[in-house]
Amino acid sequence: MDIARTPSTPEGNPEMADAAREPKAPATIRREDYRPFAWLVPEVSLDFDLGLESTKVVATLTVRRNPNAEASPTIRLNGDALVPVRVKVDGEATTSWAMDDDDLLVSLPGDAHQIEVTTHINPTENTALMGLFASNGMLCTQCEAEGFRRITFFPDRPDVLSTYRVRMSGPTALFPVLLSNGNLESEGEGEGGTHWAEWHDPWPKPSYLFALVAGDLIANSDTFTTMSGREVALNIWVRESDEGRTGHAMESLKKSMRWDEEVFGREYDLDLFNIVAVSDFNMGAMENKGLNVFNTKYVLADEDTATDGDFDGVEGVIAHEYFHNWSGNRVTCRDWFQLSLKEGFTVLRDQLFSQDMGSAPVKRIEDVRVLRGAQFPEDSGPLAHPIRPDSYREISNFYTATIYNKGAEVIRMMRTMAGEEAFRKGTDLYFDRHDGEAATCEDFVKAMEDGAGLDLEQFRWWYSQAGTPKVTVRLEHEGDTATLHLAQDVPPTPGQPKKQPMPIPLKLALFDRESAQHHGEQLVVLNKAEDSLSFTGFAKRPVLSINRGFSAPVSIERDIAQDDLVFLAAHDDDPFARYEALQDLVVGHLKTVVSGELDNTARDHARSAITSAIASVLADEALDDLMRGELLILPSETYLAETMLIADPGRIHAERQALRTHIGKALESEFVDLHERASSVPYSLSAEARGARKVKTQALIYLGAGNPERAADLAAAQYDAADNMTDRQGALLVLCGLQGVERTNKLIDFYNRYQGNALVVDKWFALQAGSMHPSALAHVKALADHPDFTMKNPNRVRSLYMAFAYNPHAFHAEDGEGYRLIADVILALDPINPQTAARFVPQLGRWRRIEPGRSALMRKQLERIAAAPGLSRDTHEQVSRSLD
Ligand code: TRP
Ligand code: ZN
């Protein structure tokens, strides 16, 4: 007979006490401590009796000893706040188990057994949105990284691969659709208005890729024929009222499937591919095998409710999750230290895909902007870590811009050094060698060496060293020789005081000043602390264009004349380098004004140099508007702060705005003309029309600084005439930063128009929280009391408070009110959703790089959080690392 245990006495058999007293899992997990798991779990069968408030789970695991691991008399099954209601071994109830903190230890005498464990969970109470949770009346899972242990006891680690059979049953009216990984094998009616379904996934997978969805959903269905001629059924599941907004996601999915065949030779491997959109989700989306789960933000799009940026977001995330089917699922990670193996590689793959689908140079510039805005600050602060970390306390804190975006840059460098063809040989070998395995970053590098023919011995430092390398560049000219002096410095980061030089691939070109031509681009790999290179045949001093295409994720310090930057901003044939020259011109200028090192004459000279560079961007007919819009974007306040050792956010904001005002005034009629020209282009998704919308709002932004009244009129007119969200949101963004009645009118109109559409109401919150308006902080406080605001929905929390925390002038209010507000948010959110709460900490963690007055106030708030009782592991780790 089974022994049913009550939740209050889960202590198991006293004979197991010794096992229970084995050393506890250390608070800090270290990469060097990796050991293979003692048991293999070839088969898992899960039986769910579904209910919103109470779901019963019976898990049956087939286990046998792992011949390649140290033997153990017990098996450790991870749990997270679970109670083992019943435990059986080989079909018999047993008392040979014990709890060790949250884990269940079961003693196993033989080499092969079957374990059955029953648990009960409450999805409605699950506000952390990890494990099985309720969202909008549906049930949904999120298991990466360690959510499966909130559903049932299991070796919840990515190197344990099993095939899954899932049976679920529940009330038909509540859950008409029942989905899991793999293929639907059978379904039927049950008793009392219930039904059931049985799913089987033939591909062995780790527990983090398990998924289950039950709810009232309808599908946009289509098919895709793979390169070997297999037909795959595609479904995008949403709530009924959202079906009309799934077309773009479906097109993106089919394009992704084709592209991965053509560019990486990767074919889909099941007859079915399901995507489900949920409105409560901690991140963008999740690549569960055959059943991707998405934040609605990355599925739903139509012209009335989604901007051009949102359309790109959907396309990019659909691609990203789909590409994980090979880079992540077929080849997965040995342990979570290898996270960048799947994430860095998959980000690179989605970036290359988006480059191919739209404007490649513009996509590259956008990706670099994200890297510099999010990853560079991370790499220079207290949370800096290598793309393959050595230790962590809470793995959720390591889903970072470093793992994802720097990880992608590191693989992109290998591709640059190998060339596209050899790179493909490397990835082919990698997939071939490690298909069906849980692999390491080292495996990837080795496959690149063997397949692409690269020597990556020194390159491996990119995996183990944190910090953004600084490359100093100086060009000397004498006679007919130009000599390039390069030096690299990898700055110290927490736990890594001394660094080794790394191979840094730099694409460069030397321009002849008169003809504005160069003799071809070269790739130079700087692999020493210092090096010099000579180029002959230059009677006159050439102009150097370096790190073209952003060939290496480094910061370049170049000793270059302002005139040369103006030259490159006008003539460089590499679009990224051209953008970069203009950025450098602005960054260089703002750095000196902010530091107070510039007299008025020099300031006026620099301002007019920048203004004329912008004027040529406006006049250049060879530029398309997408690229023109890109060139018009001033470097962000965050990036400017990053280029300074100690930043004064108040001064940076004031000087950047002053420059924008200067340009807006000087080029007022040009911006008005541009706005008018662009306004006549009708709506479509063509590059031309998208470009027109981009420059239209850029023009309004400059006019908003140069002539606010005129900008308000034009923005109000753009808002009223808008037949799409890009124009409407762009106009409202500008109005939000201005004073006056149009601001209020259009905010009210926008809310009334889109009330009830959660994703658009998110925009309404975010526009106000992220605005240039001097009272943005007060607006945010008031919006927290709006009936549509809730701490339970991560999209809503991010739309109000992330937008605010990343709005420098508001967050860095001189009296510290912004810091206090974010600390309050962290403390209030931590018990509800620790993962999301912890994501606010890095902004406060920047205190060492901020001027002394504000710095002390930031630190004070971190200390207040640290002192709070009962902090989650997530928030606690981030706060303590930030204070160390
Ligand atoms: N693996 C997912 C991706 O990058 C992201 C992810 C990791 C995630 N952990 C999550 C999503 C937790 C939601 C919740 O594609
Ligand atoms: Zn991913």
PDB file of all heavy atoms in Angstrom, residues 129-130 142-145 208 281-287 293 317 320-321 324 339 342-343 346-347 396 399 404 835, ligand 1:
ATOM      1  N   LEU A 129       6.020  33.159 -11.528  1.00  0.00           N
ATOM      2  CA  LEU A 129       5.927  32.764 -12.942  1.00  0.00           C
ATOM      3  C   LEU A 129       7.024  31.798 -13.356  1.00  0.00           C
ATOM      4  O   LEU A 129       7.461  31.775 -14.504  1.00  0.00           O
ATOM      5  CB  LEU A 129       5.915  34.003 -13.861  1.00  0.00           C
ATOM      6  CG  LEU A 129       4.902  35.105 -13.496  1.00  0.00           C
ATOM      7  CD1 LEU A 129       5.001  36.262 -14.492  1.00  0.00           C
ATOM      8  CD2 LEU A 129       3.467  34.565 -13.457  1.00  0.00           C
ATOM      9  N   MET A 130       7.482  30.999 -12.412  1.00  0.00           N
ATOM     10  CA  MET A 130       8.420  29.911 -12.693  1.00  0.00           C
ATOM     11  C   MET A 130       7.744  28.615 -12.255  1.00  0.00           C
ATOM     12  O   MET A 130       7.116  28.586 -11.198  1.00  0.00           O
ATOM     13  CB  MET A 130       9.735  30.096 -11.923  1.00  0.00           C
ATOM     14  CG  MET A 130      10.565  31.278 -12.388  1.00  0.00           C
ATOM     15  SD  MET A 130      11.130  31.117 -14.097  1.00  0.00           S
ATOM     16  CE  MET A 130      12.337  29.797 -13.947  1.00  0.00           C
ATOM     17  N   GLN A 142       6.986  27.562 -17.173  1.00  0.00           N
ATOM     18  CA  GLN A 142       8.291  28.120 -17.538  1.00  0.00           C
ATOM     19  C   GLN A 142       9.311  27.375 -16.708  1.00  0.00           C
ATOM     20  O   GLN A 142       9.316  27.498 -15.485  1.00  0.00           O
ATOM     21  CB  GLN A 142       8.370  29.624 -17.277  1.00  0.00           C
ATOM     22  CG  GLN A 142       9.780  30.199 -17.426  1.00  0.00           C
ATOM     23  CD  GLN A 142      10.405  29.927 -18.795  1.00  0.00           C
ATOM     24  OE1 GLN A 142       9.730  30.052 -19.811  1.00  0.00           O
ATOM     25  NE2 GLN A 142      11.673  29.542 -18.824  1.00  0.00           N
ATOM     26  N   CYS A 143      10.180  26.600 -17.351  1.00  0.00           N
ATOM     27  CA  CYS A 143      11.110  25.760 -16.588  1.00  0.00           C
ATOM     28  C   CYS A 143      12.556  26.229 -16.612  1.00  0.00           C
ATOM     29  O   CYS A 143      13.298  25.954 -15.679  1.00  0.00           O
ATOM     30  CB  CYS A 143      10.991  24.311 -17.043  1.00  0.00           C
ATOM     31  SG  CYS A 143       9.377  23.630 -16.628  1.00  0.00           S
ATOM     32  N   GLU A 144      13.012  26.880 -17.673  1.00  0.00           N
ATOM     33  CA  GLU A 144      14.385  27.375 -17.632  1.00  0.00           C
ATOM     34  C   GLU A 144      14.478  28.513 -16.615  1.00  0.00           C
ATOM     35  O   GLU A 144      13.621  29.380 -16.610  1.00  0.00           O
ATOM     36  CB  GLU A 144      14.829  27.897 -19.004  1.00  0.00           C
ATOM     37  CG  GLU A 144      16.317  28.246 -18.996  1.00  0.00           C
ATOM     38  CD  GLU A 144      16.833  28.725 -20.370  1.00  0.00           C
ATOM     39  OE1 GLU A 144      16.039  28.879 -21.301  1.00  0.00           O
ATOM     40  OE2 GLU A 144      18.034  28.945 -20.463  1.00  0.00           O
ATOM     41  N   ALA A 145      15.516  28.545 -15.828  1.00  0.00           N
ATOM     42  CA  ALA A 145      16.557  27.552 -15.726  1.00  0.00           C
ATOM     43  C   ALA A 145      16.183  26.455 -14.722  1.00  0.00           C
ATOM     44  O   ALA A 145      16.397  25.268 -14.971  1.00  0.00           O
ATOM     45  CB  ALA A 145      17.867  28.211 -15.296  1.00  0.00           C
ATOM     46  N   TYR A 208      14.616  21.556 -18.402  1.00  0.00           N
ATOM     47  CA  TYR A 208      14.306  22.976 -18.594  1.00  0.00           C
ATOM     48  C   TYR A 208      13.556  23.218 -19.899  1.00  0.00           C
ATOM     49  O   TYR A 208      12.989  24.295 -20.091  1.00  0.00           O
ATOM     50  CB  TYR A 208      15.584  23.829 -18.511  1.00  0.00           C
ATOM     51  CG  TYR A 208      16.429  23.906 -19.765  1.00  0.00           C
ATOM     52  CD1 TYR A 208      16.166  24.860 -20.759  1.00  0.00           C
ATOM     53  CD2 TYR A 208      17.515  23.040 -19.976  1.00  0.00           C
ATOM     54  CE1 TYR A 208      16.943  24.937 -21.914  1.00  0.00           C
ATOM     55  CE2 TYR A 208      18.285  23.112 -21.112  1.00  0.00           C
ATOM     56  CZ  TYR A 208      17.998  24.064 -22.081  1.00  0.00           C
ATOM     57  OH  TYR A 208      18.757  24.140 -23.223  1.00  0.00           O
ATOM     58  N   PHE A 281       4.668  36.987 -18.290  1.00  0.00           N
ATOM     59  CA  PHE A 281       5.881  36.245 -18.611  1.00  0.00           C
ATOM     60  C   PHE A 281       7.094  37.059 -18.179  1.00  0.00           C
ATOM     61  O   PHE A 281       7.145  38.262 -18.376  1.00  0.00           O
ATOM     62  CB  PHE A 281       5.929  35.971 -20.123  1.00  0.00           C
ATOM     63  CG  PHE A 281       6.688  34.729 -20.488  1.00  0.00           C
ATOM     64  CD1 PHE A 281       6.304  33.492 -20.005  1.00  0.00           C
ATOM     65  CD2 PHE A 281       7.804  34.794 -21.313  1.00  0.00           C
ATOM     66  CE1 PHE A 281       7.007  32.341 -20.333  1.00  0.00           C
ATOM     67  CE2 PHE A 281       8.517  33.642 -21.648  1.00  0.00           C
ATOM     68  CZ  PHE A 281       8.103  32.416 -21.155  1.00  0.00           C
ATOM     69  N   ASN A 282       8.075  36.358 -17.592  1.00  0.00           N
ATOM     70  CA  ASN A 282       9.225  37.089 -17.050  1.00  0.00           C
ATOM     71  C   ASN A 282      10.172  37.617 -18.115  1.00  0.00           C
ATOM     72  O   ASN A 282      10.879  38.589 -17.886  1.00  0.00           O
ATOM     73  CB  ASN A 282      10.017  36.185 -16.091  1.00  0.00           C
ATOM     74  CG  ASN A 282       9.354  36.085 -14.728  1.00  0.00           C
ATOM     75  OD1 ASN A 282       8.466  36.885 -14.413  1.00  0.00           O
ATOM     76  ND2 ASN A 282       9.762  35.120 -13.933  1.00  0.00           N
ATOM     77  N   MET A 283      10.254  36.955 -19.244  1.00  0.00           N
ATOM     78  CA  MET A 283      11.213  37.378 -20.262  1.00  0.00           C
ATOM     79  C   MET A 283      10.505  37.481 -21.615  1.00  0.00           C
ATOM     80  O   MET A 283       9.298  37.586 -21.672  1.00  0.00           O
ATOM     81  CB  MET A 283      12.365  36.384 -20.332  1.00  0.00           C
ATOM     82  CG  MET A 283      12.992  36.083 -18.985  1.00  0.00           C
ATOM     83  SD  MET A 283      14.624  36.801 -18.825  1.00  0.00           S
ATOM     84  CE  MET A 283      15.573  35.325 -18.857  1.00  0.00           C
ATOM     85  N   GLY A 284      11.319  37.383 -22.693  1.00  0.00           N
ATOM     86  CA  GLY A 284      10.751  37.527 -24.031  1.00  0.00           C
ATOM     87  C   GLY A 284      10.010  36.280 -24.492  1.00  0.00           C
ATOM     88  O   GLY A 284       8.863  36.341 -24.926  1.00  0.00           O
ATOM     89  N   ALA A 285      10.680  35.142 -24.401  1.00  0.00           N
ATOM     90  CA  ALA A 285      10.087  33.908 -24.890  1.00  0.00           C
ATOM     91  C   ALA A 285      10.959  32.736 -24.469  1.00  0.00           C
ATOM     92  O   ALA A 285      12.046  32.927 -23.939  1.00  0.00           O
ATOM     93  CB  ALA A 285       9.970  33.935 -26.415  1.00  0.00           C
ATOM     94  N   MET A 286      10.438  31.512 -24.705  1.00  0.00           N
ATOM     95  CA  MET A 286      11.148  30.315 -24.262  1.00  0.00           C
ATOM     96  C   MET A 286      11.058  29.209 -25.303  1.00  0.00           C
ATOM     97  O   MET A 286       9.987  28.915 -25.839  1.00  0.00           O
ATOM     98  CB  MET A 286      10.546  29.859 -22.920  1.00  0.00           C
ATOM     99  CG  MET A 286      11.202  28.620 -22.355  1.00  0.00           C
ATOM    100  SD  MET A 286      12.956  28.908 -21.969  1.00  0.00           S
ATOM    101  CE  MET A 286      13.607  27.271 -22.281  1.00  0.00           C
ATOM    102  N   GLU A 287      12.207  28.583 -25.556  1.00  0.00           N
ATOM    103  CA  GLU A 287      12.368  27.660 -26.692  1.00  0.00           C
ATOM    104  C   GLU A 287      11.980  26.211 -26.405  1.00  0.00           C
ATOM    105  O   GLU A 287      12.475  25.295 -27.096  1.00  0.00           O
ATOM    106  CB  GLU A 287      13.837  27.706 -27.141  1.00  0.00           C
ATOM    107  CG  GLU A 287      14.866  27.061 -26.165  1.00  0.00           C
ATOM    108  CD  GLU A 287      15.532  28.044 -25.228  1.00  0.00           C
ATOM    109  OE1 GLU A 287      14.961  29.123 -24.956  1.00  0.00           O
ATOM    110  OE2 GLU A 287      16.655  27.738 -24.745  1.00  0.00           O
ATOM    111  N   VAL A 293       6.958  29.067 -25.839  1.00  0.00           N
ATOM    112  CA  VAL A 293       6.031  29.935 -25.116  1.00  0.00           C
ATOM    113  C   VAL A 293       6.558  31.363 -25.197  1.00  0.00           C
ATOM    114  O   VAL A 293       7.744  31.609 -24.947  1.00  0.00           O
ATOM    115  CB  VAL A 293       5.860  29.486 -23.652  1.00  0.00           C
ATOM    116  CG1 VAL A 293       4.996  30.478 -22.881  1.00  0.00           C
ATOM    117  CG2 VAL A 293       5.218  28.099 -23.596  1.00  0.00           C
ATOM    118  N   VAL A 317      12.596  37.697 -32.219  1.00  0.00           N
ATOM    119  CA  VAL A 317      12.422  36.736 -31.121  1.00  0.00           C
ATOM    120  C   VAL A 317      11.843  35.416 -31.644  1.00  0.00           C
ATOM    121  O   VAL A 317      12.244  34.336 -31.195  1.00  0.00           O
ATOM    122  CB  VAL A 317      11.577  37.342 -29.968  1.00  0.00           C
ATOM    123  CG1 VAL A 317      11.340  36.323 -28.862  1.00  0.00           C
ATOM    124  CG2 VAL A 317      12.275  38.576 -29.391  1.00  0.00           C
ATOM    125  N   HIS A 320      14.823  33.772 -32.974  1.00  0.00           N
ATOM    126  CA  HIS A 320      15.709  33.342 -31.883  1.00  0.00           C
ATOM    127  C   HIS A 320      15.227  32.015 -31.281  1.00  0.00           C
ATOM    128  O   HIS A 320      16.001  31.061 -31.165  1.00  0.00           O
ATOM    129  CB  HIS A 320      15.759  34.445 -30.819  1.00  0.00           C
ATOM    130  CG  HIS A 320      16.612  34.124 -29.643  1.00  0.00           C
ATOM    131  ND1 HIS A 320      17.918  34.549 -29.538  1.00  0.00           N
ATOM    132  CD2 HIS A 320      16.363  33.406 -28.521  1.00  0.00           C
ATOM    133  CE1 HIS A 320      18.422  34.109 -28.392  1.00  0.00           C
ATOM    134  NE2 HIS A 320      17.505  33.416 -27.762  1.00  0.00           N
ATOM    135  N   GLU A 321      13.957  31.976 -30.908  1.00  0.00           N
ATOM    136  CA  GLU A 321      13.457  30.754 -30.260  1.00  0.00           C
ATOM    137  C   GLU A 321      13.459  29.584 -31.234  1.00  0.00           C
ATOM    138  O   GLU A 321      13.799  28.460 -30.872  1.00  0.00           O
ATOM    139  CB  GLU A 321      12.052  30.965 -29.689  1.00  0.00           C
ATOM    140  CG  GLU A 321      11.913  32.151 -28.742  1.00  0.00           C
ATOM    141  CD  GLU A 321      12.952  32.226 -27.654  1.00  0.00           C
ATOM    142  OE1 GLU A 321      13.455  31.168 -27.214  1.00  0.00           O
ATOM    143  OE2 GLU A 321      13.285  33.353 -27.240  1.00  0.00           O
ATOM    144  N   HIS A 324      16.869  28.120 -31.595  1.00  0.00           N
ATOM    145  CA  HIS A 324      17.278  27.307 -30.445  1.00  0.00           C
ATOM    146  C   HIS A 324      17.009  25.814 -30.678  1.00  0.00           C
ATOM    147  O   HIS A 324      17.595  24.982 -29.997  1.00  0.00           O
ATOM    148  CB  HIS A 324      16.516  27.730 -29.191  1.00  0.00           C
ATOM    149  CG  HIS A 324      17.204  28.770 -28.348  1.00  0.00           C
ATOM    150  ND1 HIS A 324      18.546  28.706 -28.032  1.00  0.00           N
ATOM    151  CD2 HIS A 324      16.725  29.878 -27.723  1.00  0.00           C
ATOM    152  CE1 HIS A 324      18.860  29.738 -27.250  1.00  0.00           C
ATOM    153  NE2 HIS A 324      17.779  30.474 -27.053  1.00  0.00           N
ATOM    154  N   LEU A 339      25.873  28.671 -20.413  1.00  0.00           N
ATOM    155  CA  LEU A 339      24.674  29.294 -20.979  1.00  0.00           C
ATOM    156  C   LEU A 339      24.928  30.028 -22.297  1.00  0.00           C
ATOM    157  O   LEU A 339      24.129  29.980 -23.231  1.00  0.00           O
ATOM    158  CB  LEU A 339      24.072  30.261 -19.940  1.00  0.00           C
ATOM    159  CG  LEU A 339      22.778  30.969 -20.310  1.00  0.00           C
ATOM    160  CD1 LEU A 339      21.673  29.984 -20.654  1.00  0.00           C
ATOM    161  CD2 LEU A 339      22.329  31.881 -19.161  1.00  0.00           C
ATOM    162  N   LYS A 342      24.533  28.325 -25.816  1.00  0.00           N
ATOM    163  CA  LYS A 342      23.298  28.375 -26.592  1.00  0.00           C
ATOM    164  C   LYS A 342      22.835  29.812 -26.828  1.00  0.00           C
ATOM    165  O   LYS A 342      22.338  30.121 -27.893  1.00  0.00           O
ATOM    166  CB  LYS A 342      22.197  27.513 -25.952  1.00  0.00           C
ATOM    167  CG  LYS A 342      21.527  28.048 -24.694  1.00  0.00           C
ATOM    168  CD  LYS A 342      20.379  27.114 -24.263  1.00  0.00           C
ATOM    169  CE  LYS A 342      19.720  27.497 -22.951  1.00  0.00           C
ATOM    170  NZ  LYS A 342      18.698  28.564 -23.091  1.00  0.00           N
ATOM    171  N   GLU A 343      22.982  30.691 -25.823  1.00  0.00           N
ATOM    172  CA  GLU A 343      22.420  32.034 -25.981  1.00  0.00           C
ATOM    173  C   GLU A 343      23.265  32.942 -26.877  1.00  0.00           C
ATOM    174  O   GLU A 343      22.737  33.628 -27.745  1.00  0.00           O
ATOM    175  CB  GLU A 343      22.168  32.688 -24.615  1.00  0.00           C
ATOM    176  CG  GLU A 343      21.110  31.966 -23.769  1.00  0.00           C
ATOM    177  CD  GLU A 343      19.758  31.829 -24.467  1.00  0.00           C
ATOM    178  OE1 GLU A 343      19.527  32.503 -25.486  1.00  0.00           O
ATOM    179  OE2 GLU A 343      18.932  31.019 -23.992  1.00  0.00           O
ATOM    180  N   THR A 346      22.890  31.651 -30.410  1.00  0.00           N
ATOM    181  CA  THR A 346      21.549  31.876 -30.961  1.00  0.00           C
ATOM    182  C   THR A 346      21.288  33.359 -31.201  1.00  0.00           C
ATOM    183  O   THR A 346      20.649  33.730 -32.190  1.00  0.00           O
ATOM    184  CB  THR A 346      20.479  31.239 -30.051  1.00  0.00           C
ATOM    185  OG1 THR A 346      20.800  29.851 -29.900  1.00  0.00           O
ATOM    186  CG2 THR A 346      19.091  31.366 -30.647  1.00  0.00           C
ATOM    187  N   VAL A 347      21.815  34.222 -30.347  1.00  0.00           N
ATOM    188  CA  VAL A 347      21.679  35.663 -30.616  1.00  0.00           C
ATOM    189  C   VAL A 347      22.413  36.008 -31.913  1.00  0.00           C
ATOM    190  O   VAL A 347      21.883  36.725 -32.766  1.00  0.00           O
ATOM    191  CB  VAL A 347      22.204  36.518 -29.444  1.00  0.00           C
ATOM    192  CG1 VAL A 347      22.299  37.988 -29.845  1.00  0.00           C
ATOM    193  CG2 VAL A 347      21.290  36.377 -28.223  1.00  0.00           C
ATOM    194  N   SER A 396      19.347  32.679 -12.409  1.00  0.00           N
ATOM    195  CA  SER A 396      18.474  33.653 -13.095  1.00  0.00           C
ATOM    196  C   SER A 396      19.163  35.006 -13.274  1.00  0.00           C
ATOM    197  O   SER A 396      18.841  35.749 -14.194  1.00  0.00           O
ATOM    198  CB  SER A 396      17.193  33.872 -12.308  1.00  0.00           C
ATOM    199  OG  SER A 396      16.450  32.694 -12.296  1.00  0.00           O
ATOM    200  N   TYR A 399      21.217  35.670 -16.839  1.00  0.00           N
ATOM    201  CA  TYR A 399      20.631  35.877 -18.169  1.00  0.00           C
ATOM    202  C   TYR A 399      20.854  37.343 -18.518  1.00  0.00           C
ATOM    203  O   TYR A 399      19.957  38.166 -18.413  1.00  0.00           O
ATOM    204  CB  TYR A 399      19.147  35.465 -18.180  1.00  0.00           C
ATOM    205  CG  TYR A 399      19.025  33.965 -18.139  1.00  0.00           C
ATOM    206  CD1 TYR A 399      19.211  33.268 -16.945  1.00  0.00           C
ATOM    207  CD2 TYR A 399      18.812  33.240 -19.302  1.00  0.00           C
ATOM    208  CE1 TYR A 399      19.157  31.884 -16.923  1.00  0.00           C
ATOM    209  CE2 TYR A 399      18.751  31.859 -19.285  1.00  0.00           C
ATOM    210  CZ  TYR A 399      18.932  31.177 -18.095  1.00  0.00           C
ATOM    211  OH  TYR A 399      18.891  29.817 -18.086  1.00  0.00           O
ATOM    212  N   TYR A 404      24.366  36.977 -23.399  1.00  0.00           N
ATOM    213  CA  TYR A 404      23.650  37.005 -24.669  1.00  0.00           C
ATOM    214  C   TYR A 404      24.414  37.806 -25.730  1.00  0.00           C
ATOM    215  O   TYR A 404      24.778  37.278 -26.775  1.00  0.00           O
ATOM    216  CB  TYR A 404      22.244  37.625 -24.488  1.00  0.00           C
ATOM    217  CG  TYR A 404      21.192  36.653 -23.993  1.00  0.00           C
ATOM    218  CD1 TYR A 404      21.275  36.081 -22.721  1.00  0.00           C
ATOM    219  CD2 TYR A 404      20.102  36.310 -24.773  1.00  0.00           C
ATOM    220  CE1 TYR A 404      20.301  35.207 -22.256  1.00  0.00           C
ATOM    221  CE2 TYR A 404      19.122  35.439 -24.321  1.00  0.00           C
ATOM    222  CZ  TYR A 404      19.229  34.889 -23.063  1.00  0.00           C
ATOM    223  OH  TYR A 404      18.269  34.016 -22.621  1.00  0.00           O
ATOM    224  N   GLN A 835      12.681  37.256  -9.653  1.00  0.00           N
ATOM    225  CA  GLN A 835      13.485  37.385 -10.869  1.00  0.00           C
ATOM    226  C   GLN A 835      13.395  38.803 -11.440  1.00  0.00           C
ATOM    227  O   GLN A 835      14.399  39.406 -11.813  1.00  0.00           O
ATOM    228  CB  GLN A 835      12.937  36.425 -11.915  1.00  0.00           C
ATOM    229  CG  GLN A 835      13.959  35.470 -12.457  1.00  0.00           C
ATOM    230  CD  GLN A 835      13.311  34.509 -13.453  1.00  0.00           C
ATOM    231  OE1 GLN A 835      12.782  34.884 -14.487  1.00  0.00           O
ATOM    232  NE2 GLN A 835      13.352  33.246 -13.096  1.00  0.00           N
TER     233      GLN A 835
HETATM  234  N1  TRP B   1      16.025  30.745 -22.967  1.00  0.00           N
HETATM  235  C1  TRP B   1      15.151  31.855 -23.206  1.00  0.00           C
HETATM  236  C2  TRP B   1      15.695  32.580 -24.429  1.00  0.00           C
HETATM  237  O1  TRP B   1      16.660  33.234 -24.403  1.00  0.00           O
HETATM  238  C3  TRP B   1      15.013  32.861 -22.129  1.00  0.00           C
HETATM  239  C4  TRP B   1      14.704  32.458 -20.752  1.00  0.00           C
HETATM  240  C5  TRP B   1      15.541  31.979 -19.830  1.00  0.00           C
HETATM  241  C6  TRP B   1      13.514  32.665 -20.062  1.00  0.00           C
HETATM  242  N2  TRP B   1      14.965  31.905 -18.612  1.00  0.00           N
HETATM  243  C7  TRP B   1      13.712  32.325 -18.727  1.00  0.00           C
HETATM  244  C8  TRP B   1      12.273  33.118 -20.455  1.00  0.00           C
HETATM  245  C9  TRP B   1      12.734  32.486 -17.755  1.00  0.00           C
HETATM  246  C10 TRP B   1      11.286  33.257 -19.483  1.00  0.00           C
HETATM  247  C11 TRP B   1      11.535  32.968 -18.148  1.00  0.00           C
HETATM  248  O2  TRP B   1      15.220  32.435 -25.487  1.00  0.00           O
END
